[in-house]
Amino acid sequence: MKKRYKEIALILILVGTFLPLLPSSAASSVTITDDVGRIVRIAKRPMRIVSLAPSITEILFALGLGDRVVGVTSYCNYPPEVLEREAEGKITVVGGFTNPSLEKIADLNPDLVFGHNLLPPEFIHNLERINITVVVISTANSIDGIFDDIRLIGEACWEEESASKLITDLQEKISNLETAVEGADKVEVAHICWMKPIFIAGAKTYVNDLIEKAGGINVFSNKTGWATISKEELVKADPAHIIVPYKHGVEMIYEELMKMKEEGLIHGQIHTMDPDIISRPGPRVVLALEKIINFLHPEVWSKMLAVTDLTVQSSVTVGESAVIFVEVKNTGELGGVKTASITIDGKILQKNVTLNAGESKLVVFTAEMKKPGVYTVSAGGKVATLKVNPVASALIVNASMVLSVISIIAIVILAVALIKRTSRTK
Amino acid sequence: MPSKRLLKWRATVTYLILLLFLSLILTLAIGPVYISPTEILEVFCWKIGILNSPPRKVYVNIILQLRLPRILFGFIIGASLSVSGMVMQALFRNPMASPYVIGVSSGSALGAAIAMNMLPSIIGIYTTPAVAFLTGLFTLILVYNLARVEGRLRTDTLLLAGIAVSYFFSAIISILVWIMAQERHQIVLWLMGGLWGADWIKIDVITPITFIGLAVTYMFAKDLNAMLLGEETAQSLGTNVELTKKTLLVTSALMISASVSFSGMIGFVGLVVPHVMRLLVGPDHRILIPSSALAGGIFLAWSDALARVLMEIPVGVVTAISGVPFFIYLLKRRRSVRSL
């Protein structure tokens, strides 16, 4: 099936390259070739869009086209706006993933329907038969595939610009995360998405890409696609980390693996993850990647934060504690306990801070300064100086403090005496 | 007396035909999208030219392109499944027989699974049904030759051959489902069966096959009656047993293969509708054939209407859940009548 599509696609590409040479091809319509090689002409800017896959829904909302989506599947639950708009009656649920209702889609009178490659071909045909424009998006099996999907969806919606903006944004975030784990030791990982039989993510899945980018080695990269393995193979591979989906209804996978671990068959850490995040090749790929980094390299992840401000007292006296204010921001998509650190004259101070995604917090460090001098304080690329004064100035401070205490006592005594006198005269 | 019986039969068929038309009208109004009766009427009036102003385009599409083909598809497939089930029950003299016992349906299913996975879509979306139909016919030839001993078709061997072949093919389908990760959804969905894939081209293809099949089966109604008494008795009553068996086997297989190719394995209809009709109109095939055909069609169309409303659940689920209680009720009633 796919070979033929490729041929058709090739012909279309050839035709496509010569089409712009024709004089009358004005920009009044968009013609695209979808993932199964169908040529689709989209005559006007789509304003009533139906998405038949949760990942496509996520992409549409990430492109800012949420207000143009009129129909989704019952599995589309992200972003929360989808459910809100469903409750408001602005979005209709047209059915499940592989068996949506044709009638409901037709009733929405959509100008664009995004289908996927797991829908039966007859289903697509039936939509075409009633003159509904359908673009078929294949489930991406690599991170680049997600970008291709976003690009195609953007083109089909006449929103190429926001699509390329979203892609650049995601690419930048992903490469930042990749850079962060660059130095870390590679660890062995498996992603198990089903037990009985055991299904794992092999090569040519986007989870495989995620594992590699997160500083891991997929122990089952010798398999292709979503493949089944036997328990023996899992025991033999015995990866250091196993990532499993976990939510209501699929607890079995985690429990089975924990049982295997108790029996001493496997020894790796078992990490659980919301299947909606790891199984949908959509814009939450960044969150998925960060989560996997958090599993595989927690020490790297906990240090991934930005220092937005560094304030140091202008001067302190020897023997006193210097107070250093560091404002840190979790620039990632995942919340949790992070480690903020500062360096004073080569000495590293660390403090744990709980940060939600995108949250900023002020972390206060105190350091007892024993020697006078000028110190350099640095944190996350920001630098400040701290002056530690010798004892003399400290004495002055102490003297003034003693003086003020004495004067306060004197005032109190005077006040008491005054009150007593006035009461006696009465 | 015979004329009275004939009158009763005519009445039964007339009632069922009326019920069929009533079902057609009522099920047209059933679906996940509510369309009021007046609007449905407008669509049809506009279609036949009485009304000049076209109604809402969306409703025209839903009624004429989605709902009507599905209902007609339900009538036709329901009829062919229940009549072929009835033929199997009569030929094998086994109440457990269903259209799927001779293995043709597993052959079609295997063909469909292979087509979905490996074959390029030569003739577009109709590749799967076409391949399924052809493999169904191939299975028929296979089973037929396995069951033929010295030129005669033995029903017991036929039953065993059919079951053996269907188990074998099911095993191969399981292997395919096991290997294929991506297309697994499609195969499983296909195996469960459904009428949502209906379109006018499919109806154009399946209608003649079904009508010819029903007509041929009806021609053998008297022979089927005789066969119920046993093959030797039937032979002595003047029935050409071999011809009857072979013709009916081939016609049923054609009907089964055609309906399975287009709508997957819709269970239950072929097993139980003939029994229900036997309880209601008696075992005489001259009335049993037309009434089973009509009742099977009506039952499947209604089940599909329900499946449409219930988020497109597989229609086989609806047929079983709605049909079994009724069937058990009939069985119980018959038993109590007998014990009286």
Side-chain angles (χ1 to χ4, degrees):
Chain A
M1 205 185 286
K2 275 169 192 153
K3 256 192 188 156
R4 196 168 170 84
Y5 283 143
K6 264 186 195 160
E7 281 172 28
I8 296 171
L10 207 75
I11 294 165
L12 290 177
I13 289 164
L14 281 175
V15 172
T17 44
F18 291 109
L19 264 181
L21 301 178
L22 297 172
S24 63
S25 63
S28 58
S29 77
V30 166
T31 305
I32 56 164
T33 308
D34 73 3
D35 284 350
V36 291
R38 298 164 57 255
I39 338 158
V40 185
R41 201 178 79 91
I42 296 148
K44 59 179 178 57
R45 182 179 292 271
M47 295 309 284
R48 296 181 63 79
I49 303 167
V50 172
S51 156
L52 297 179
S55 57
I56 297 169
T57 307
E58 289 192 20
I59 292 172
L60 286 168
F61 274 80
L63 287 172
L65 305 176
D67 52 344
R68 279 150 68 174
V69 176
V70 292
V72 295
T73 71
S74 54
Y75 296 96
C76 297
N77 55 4
Y78 191 88
E81 215 185 324
V82 178
L83 302 174
E84 280 165 28
R85 292 180 73 84
E86 270 171 31
E88 287 166 15
K90 287 173 182 162
I91 287 182
T92 309
V93 176
V94 295
F97 185 63
T98 44
N99 58 340
S101 167
L102 283 163
E103 283 191 16
K104 279 194 174 178
I105 298 171
D107 186 46
L108 288 172
N109 200 14
D111 41 24
L112 182 58
V113 173
F114 284 109
H116 53 83
N117 56 328
L118 296 181
L119 283 168
E122 283 151 303
F123 187 90
I124 309 292
H125 167 76
N126 270 335
L127 283 175
E128 284 172 335
R129 215 157 48 81
I130 51 174
N131 301 318
I132 290 177
T133 313
V134 193
V135 171
V136 179
I137 307 286
S138 284
T139 316
N141 42 25
S142 66
I143 291 180
D144 287 336
I146 299 173
F147 300 144
D148 291 342
D149 286 354
I150 295 174
R151 197 169 294 121
L152 189 60
I153 290 170
E155 277 172 20
C157 296
W158 293 37
E159 296 289 341
E160 259 180 275
E161 229 168 89
S162 46
S164 44
K165 234 169 91 185
L166 179 63
I167 294 167
T168 322
D169 179 48
L170 293 176
Q171 274 169 336
E172 199 184 298
K173 282 179 179 168
I174 287 171
S175 71
N176 283 346
L177 288 170
E178 257 186 297
T179 328
V181 288
E182 224 161 39
D185 289 335
K186 300 264 185 241
V187 288
E188 290 191 328
V189 192
H191 173 58
I192 294 177
C193 56
W194 194 249
M195 291 296 274
K196 291 179 187 176
I198 305 174
F199 266 94
I200 51 90
K204 288 184 184 162
T205 60
Y206 102 102
V207 176
N208 185 63
D209 271 17
L210 284 175
I211 290 172
E212 280 173 4
K213 285 200 194 294
I217 300 164
N218 185 2
V219 289
F220 295 118
S221 57
N222 54 339
K223 312 262 174 188
T224 309
W226 302 94
T228 52
I229 57 159
S230 67
K231 258 190 182 179
E232 288 175 20
E233 282 171 280
L234 178 60
V235 170
K236 190 183 165 227
D238 199 10
H241 297 272
I242 298 175
I243 301 166
V244 296
Y246 191 87
K247 76 169 181 186
H248 179 67
V250 294
E251 298 93 339
M252 184 265 275
I253 307 167
Y254 176 72
E255 282 158 13
E256 287 278 330
L257 284 169
M258 284 311 274
K259 214 180 89 199
M260 280 180 80
K261 202 176 163 178
E262 272 165 33
E263 287 165 354
L265 294 169
I266 50 172
H267 306 90
Q269 285 186 55
I270 298 164
H271 307 283
T272 58
M273 195 158 165
D274 182 356
D276 290 350
I277 296 171
I278 198 161
S279 66
R280 288 181 194 169
R284 281 198 283 177
V285 59
V286 179
L287 176 60
L289 180 59
E290 203 185 326
K291 269 205 151 165
I292 297 175
I293 292 175
N294 180 23
F295 295 150
L296 308 185
H297 302 291
E299 71 297 337
V300 175
W301 179 81
S302 69
K303 283 177 193 145
M304 282 170 14
L305 41 69
V307 174
T308 45
D309 195 27
L310 173 68
T311 314
V312 181
Q313 266 178 303
S314 57
S315 63
V316 290
T317 317
V318 165
E320 264 190 348
S321 290
V323 185
I324 297 138
F325 299 95
V326 180
E327 195 189 41
V328 289
K329 189 182 182 195
N330 183 353
T331 48
E333 316 234 321
L334 183 65
V337 181
K338 297 247 181 189
T339 311
S341 66
I342 56 165
T343 316
I344 302 181
D345 203 31
K347 213 169 72 185
I348 298 169
L349 294 180
Q350 287 188 329
K351 222 168 200 188
N352 285 349
V353 53
T354 310
L355 284 170
N356 291 327
E359 194 186 7
S360 286
K361 257 188 192 166
L362 203 62
V363 184
V364 184
F365 286 92
T366 47
E368 205 183 324
M369 305 313 296
K370 284 174 182 156
K371 276 185 191 162
V374 176
Y375 295 89
T376 311
V377 182
S378 66
K382 286 212 161 34
V383 181
T385 45
L386 172 66
K387 214 170 128 196
V388 180
N389 297 323
V391 193
S393 65
L395 261 178
I396 296 164
V397 172
N398 284 353
S400 69
M401 269 181 78
V402 170
L403 217 80
S404 54
V405 169
I406 291 169
S407 55
I408 288 166
I409 293 168
I411 289 163
V412 170
I413 291 169
L414 265 169
V416 171
L418 262 170
I419 291 163
K420 277 195 176 166
R421 243 177 68 183
T422 45
S423 61
R424 207 181 291 158
T425 48
K426 269 186 183 170
Chain B
M1 284 312 274
S3 65
K4 195 182 170 188
R5 191 180 60 180
L6 202 65
L7 281 177
K8 203 179 148 197
W9 284 358
R10 277 187 189 153
T12 308
V13 173
T14 317
Y15 282 142
L16 282 169
I17 289 174
L18 283 176
L19 202 60
L20 187 83
F21 277 105
L22 198 66
S23 302
L24 175 66
I25 294 162
L26 291 177
T27 48
L28 262 177
I30 298 175
V33 176
Y34 175 74
I35 302 175
S36 69
T38 41
E39 278 164 319
I40 297 172
L41 211 64
E42 272 173 23
V43 169
F44 280 98
C45 289
W46 170 77
K47 184 72 186 165
I48 55 175
I50 298 173
L51 205 71
N52 283 325
S53 59
R56 273 188 64 184
K57 187 85 178 47
V58 171
Y59 289 168
V60 175
N61 278 336
I62 291 178
I63 293 292
L64 296 179
Q65 298 296 331
L66 298 176
R67 240 179 243 179
L68 190 59
R70 263 180 95 146
I71 295 165
L72 297 180
F73 214 44
F75 285 157
I76 292 162
I77 285 170
S80 68
L81 284 179
S82 72
V83 167
S84 50
M86 187 211 70
V87 169
M88 294 302 144
Q89 285 160 7
L91 279 186
F92 297 125
R93 274 178 290 140
N94 185 337
M96 292 271 288
S98 78
Y100 302 146
V101 288
I102 48 166
V104 171
S105 50
S106 327
S108 293
L110 178 62
I114 292 170
M116 278 177 207
N117 286 318
M118 295 157 192
L119 290 179
S121 43
I122 306 158
I123 43 171
I125 58 145
Y126 298 107
T127 309
T128 303
V131 173
F133 188 67
L134 291 177
T135 46
L137 293 190
F138 163 76
T139 316
L140 170 70
I141 295 165
L142 182 74
V143 172
Y144 184 90
N145 281 311
L146 281 175
R148 204 173 50 170
V149 183
E150 290 161 5
R152 288 188 62 216
L153 198 62
R154 293 192 46 180
T155 43
D156 49 349
T157 328
L158 185 64
L159 190 61
L160 287 174
I163 288 172
V165 164
S166 81
Y167 269 99
F168 185 71
F169 284 171
S170 301
I172 297 177
I173 294 171
S174 297
I175 294 172
L176 285 175
V177 170
W178 191 260
I179 298 169
M180 302 303 156
Q182 291 259 301
E183 289 85 358
R184 185 176 290 122
H185 281 285
Q186 280 188 34
I187 299 175
V188 172
L189 202 69
W190 194 90
L191 287 178
M192 285 198 281
L195 300 179
W196 54 263
D199 64 31
W200 290 108
I201 296 172
K202 288 182 179 176
I203 287 181
D204 286 348
V205 173
I206 201 168
T207 309
I209 296 176
T210 307
F211 273 92
I212 292 168
L214 291 179
V216 170
T217 312
Y218 190 74
M219 291 191 326
F220 285 89
K222 275 187 175 173
D223 300 299
L224 275 173
N225 284 345
M227 295 276 284
L228 285 180
L229 304 168
E231 287 184 18
E232 278 83 36
T233 323
Q235 193 80 46
S236 64
L237 285 173
T239 298
N240 186 342
V241 172
E242 281 306 303
L243 180 75
T244 309
K245 279 196 289 192
K246 285 173 185 169
T247 320
L248 287 181
L249 181 70
V250 174
T251 5
S252 299
L254 280 172
M255 287 199 286
I256 296 162
S257 200
S259 57
V260 170
S261 323
F262 279 146
S263 65
M265 304 252 252
I266 298 172
F268 189 79
V269 178
L271 177 69
V272 167
V273 171
H275 283 308
V276 170
M277 292 325 285
R278 221 172 264 130
L279 291 173
L280 293 177
V281 303
D284 193 320
H285 284 91
R286 282 171 294 176
I287 181 66
L288 197 51
I289 291 169
S291 59
S292 288
L294 289 164
I298 294 167
F299 179 54
L300 191 57
W302 276 101
S303 299
D304 184 54
L306 223 61
R308 263 205 304 272
V309 180
L310 302 172
M311 294 297 275
E312 296 287 350
I313 59 171
V315 71
V317 176
V318 182
T319 53
I321 286 179
S322 58
V324 169
F326 178 61
F327 182 53
I328 289 172
Y329 161 75
L330 280 181
L331 278 179
K332 277 279 191 194
R333 201 184 63 166
R334 191 182 66 161
R335 199 174 296 155
S336 60
V337 167
R338 238 191 216 163
S339 65
L340 277 171

